[in-house]
Amino acid sequence: MIQALIFDCDGTLTDSMPAHYAGWRDALSQQGMTLAEETFFAHCGTPSRILIPRLAAESDIQIDYAKALDAKETFFLQSIDLLQAIDPIVQIASENRGKFPMAVASGGTRRLVQLQLQQINIIDWFDHVVTSEDTEKGKPDPDIFLEAAKRLGVAPNACQVYEDGEPGIEAARRAGMSCIDIRKLI
């Protein structure tokens, strides 16, 4: 029986993934690294602090991750006012507000996640916002969802996750939570 709802942010509550990809593509190209769109989207949900250095190493390219992250975030923030909600999923959150404890569990950074939730006017809907800074391991490891369940005070098997990426879906499965692949709803 479901007792709590946990939502991913990027690509689930907000249509932000194209802006994240464009930001990383441009930031990394400044350091001589090409980021293929299909590679980026295949790893949706994996924290950038893990993914980008891994992809650079696989390409045998040395990058300054901190510099790339700063450039990427600058690009992303320049276009945040264009960010749109993913209405069918935001509607689910709206309908369940006050009925269930709810959290956001995102592989993104706290600053960007909070700004996105503010942009679409739903930040106060959630009891907790758990981000990449709150766990050492990112999706597909279950840590971020387990941390959200812990903060909500609900057993993992009583949590319903809404997720758009394969790493996040796998993380929810590993956490023992039921998961709805929102790509089938939109």
Side-chain angles (χ1 to χ4, degrees):
M1 187 161 117
I2 301 303
Q3 297 175 14
L5 305 180
I6 302 173
F7 295 84
D8 176 44
C9 182
D10 295 293
T12 299
L13 291 168
T14 63
D15 188 13
S16 59
M17 293 313 292
H20 281 296
Y21 167 69
W24 275 119
R25 180 197 62 216
D26 295 349
L28 292 171
S29 72
Q30 294 174 352
Q31 295 191 42
M33 182 177 161
T34 301
L35 180 61
E37 187 173 10
E38 55 277 355
T39 301
F40 178 79
F41 283 102
H43 297 282
C44 287
T46 302
S48 298
R49 66 180 163 75
I50 296 170
L51 177 63
I52 299 302
R54 182 187 323 148
L55 293 176
E58 289 172 2
S59 299
D60 201 26
I61 295 174
Q62 295 288 332
I63 63 164
D64 180 338
Y65 177 76
K67 182 178 176 181
L69 177 63
D70 187 52
K72 181 264 179 184
E73 287 193 2
T74 298
F75 174 84
F76 185 83
L77 291 173
Q78 289 171 350
S79 60
I80 199 161
D81 60 317
L82 303 175
L83 192 73
Q84 298 291 315
I86 297 180
D87 291 329
I89 309 309
V90 170
Q91 183 64 34
I92 291 168
S94 177
E95 291 169 358
N96 288 287
R97 216 173 134 193
K99 295 179 185 175
F100 292 99
M102 297 193 312
V104 171
S106 173
T109 61
R110 180 171 318 289
R111 178 176 177 232
L112 293 186
V113 170
Q114 289 178 331
L115 287 171
Q116 290 180 71
L117 297 174
Q118 288 172 352
Q119 173 64 27
I120 62 169
N121 297 311
I122 65 170
I123 193 163
D124 62 335
W125 294 9
F126 301 96
D127 301 291
H128 298 280
V129 176
V130 183
T131 64
S132 62
E133 292 97 338
D134 297 314
T135 61
E136 285 190 33
K137 296 179 183 177
K139 300 171 187 175
D141 288 298
D143 300 25
I144 199 156
F145 290 131
L146 294 172
E147 181 64 23
K150 177 181 169 186
R151 291 183 185 188
L152 291 169
V154 176
N157 65 356
C159 294
Q160 173 71 61
V161 172
Y162 292 86
E163 178 60 73
D164 72 307
E166 294 304 325
I169 292 167
E170 176 64 15
R173 185 192 66 74
R174 290 182 186 179
M177 300 176 180
S178 62
C179 184
I180 293 178
D181 181 345
I182 66 102
R183 297 171 295 186
K184 297 175 181 177
L185 301 178
I186 58 174

